[in-house]
């Protein structure tokens, strides 16, 4: 199966793995692993992103309007 695979020890606060380009919300210590998620093909939103943009960026990612950020 072709997909977006990550190490078993990576965790996200929220994740949408079934999207055409999966999205993960990383908070706290999880944000330190953002580059690993991105290397695995995921779009990543951190707590800093949410504080800067509100939920707008996340909603756009989930709806497919933002690709490859």
């Amino acid at each position: 199966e072709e997909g977006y695979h990550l190490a078993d020890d990576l965790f996200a606060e929220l994740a949408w793995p079934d999207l055409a380009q999966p999205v993960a919300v990383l908070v706290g210590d999880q944000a330190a692993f953002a580059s690993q998620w991105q290397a695995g093909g995921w779009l990543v939103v951190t707590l800093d992103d949410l504080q800067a943009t509100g939920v707008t960026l996340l909603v756009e990612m989930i709806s497919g309007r933002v690709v490859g950020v």
Side-chain angles (χ1 to χ4, degrees), residues 6-18:
L6 298 168
D8 290 337
D9 59 347
L10 292 178
F11 295 93
E13 194 69 22
L14 294 169
W16 290 265
D18 296 328

Side-chain angles (χ1 to χ4, degrees), residues 39-60:
W42 289 67
L43 293 176
V44 172
V45 178
T46 65
L47 184 56
D48 288 342
D49 296 331
L50 291 173
Q51 290 174 336
T53 66
V55 296
T56 304
L57 177 62
L58 180 59
V59 169
E60 289 177 353

Side-chain angles (χ1 to χ4, degrees), residues 13 33 36 41 54 69:
E13 194 69 22
F33 299 97
Q36 289 175 273
V69 175

Side-chain angles (χ1 to χ4, degrees), residues 11-36:
F11 295 93
E13 194 69 22
L14 294 169
W16 290 265
D18 296 328
L19 298 176
Q21 185 163 22
V23 175
V25 176
L26 306 180
V27 299
D29 292 342
Q30 298 165 346
F33 299 97
S35 62
Q36 289 175 273

